[in-house]
């Protein structure tokens, strides 16, 4: 198992344990995690703290060159907002745990030169499937869909 994806999964599990959405991410520069985070929209009442955004925030202010030499690991395919941040900071590579429960902007990122690797990691898939089954309205809110009757 990739140690960096394992760290992202641990972040996702923290988010779920806190009552939030189980998506985690880490930003890696030269083989070292410089930022880690998980979706904190519920916990912080935030509109933007997806896992990737939290990892970038927790990495702190970095030079453009640091971002251009980094890899972002995320347990779930990045949404439009997170993909925009990936492009804004010039992160050249994204490793995705899974994209079966949600397909983000992978094709858009690829079309702009970002290297995408999708692992289809069973732990990432199970985390999301279990969460979606348990909290469909919260999941729909997180990805910008109307709430279900659940």
């Amino acid at each position: 198992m990739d140690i960096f994806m394992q760290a992202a999964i641990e972040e996702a599990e923290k988010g779920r344990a806190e009552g939030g959405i189980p998506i985690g991410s880490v930003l890696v520069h030269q083989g070292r995690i410089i930022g880690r985070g998980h979706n904190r929209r519920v916990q912080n009442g935030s509109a933007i703290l997806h896992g990737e955004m939290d990892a970038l925030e927790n990495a702190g202010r970095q030079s453009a060159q640091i971002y251009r030499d980094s890899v972002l690991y995320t347990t779930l395919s990045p949404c439009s907002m997170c993909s925009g941040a990936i492009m804004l900071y010039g992160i050249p590579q994204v490793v995705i745990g899974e994209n079966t429960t949600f397909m983000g902007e992978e094709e858009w990122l690829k079309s702009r030169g970002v290297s995408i690797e999708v692992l289809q990691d069973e732990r990432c898939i199970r985390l999301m499937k279990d969460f979606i089954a348990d909290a469909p309205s919260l999941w729909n809110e997180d990805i910008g869909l109307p709430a279900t009757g659940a």
Side-chain angles (χ1 to χ4, degrees), residues 23-150:
I23 303 167
S25 185
V26 295
L27 184 65
V28 177
H29 179 257
Q30 296 183 346
R32 185 175 69 84
I33 295 172
I34 62 170
R36 60 176 64 229
H38 52 273
N39 187 304
R40 295 179 195 258
R41 289 187 66 249
V42 172
Q43 300 91 312
N44 290 15
S46 171
I48 63 167
L49 277 182
H50 283 192
E52 299 92 336
M53 302 297 277
D54 194 39
L56 288 168
E57 177 70 14
N58 290 329
R61 185 174 169 204
Q62 301 292 330
S63 72
Q65 191 57 49
I66 296 290
Y67 295 115
R68 285 190 210 113
D69 291 335
S70 293
V71 179
L72 184 72
Y73 288 76
T74 181
T75 58
L76 187 65
S77 186
C79 73
S80 299
M81 175 179 65
C82 296
S83 294
I86 290 163
M87 289 305 304
L88 178 67
Y89 291 106
I91 297 168
Q93 182 179 3
V94 179
V95 179
I96 298 167
E98 68 104 348
N99 64 7
T100 61
T101 59
F102 176 78
M103 174 61 77
E105 299 296 333
E106 294 173 32
E107 291 306 316
W108 183 76
L109 288 167
K110 286 180 194 175
S111 76
R112 283 155 177 77
V114 176
S115 170
I116 301 291
E117 180 182 358
V118 182
L119 303 178
Q120 300 304 20
D121 185 284
E122 285 301 320
R123 293 167 303 163
C124 295
I125 294 168
R126 179 61 33 221
L127 270 170
M128 286 311 300
K129 282 188 174 181
D130 289 350
F131 171 74
I132 292 167
D134 291 345
S137 291
L138 184 55
W139 172 237
N140 287 343
E141 172 193 321
D142 196 61
I143 59 172
L145 296 177
T148 64

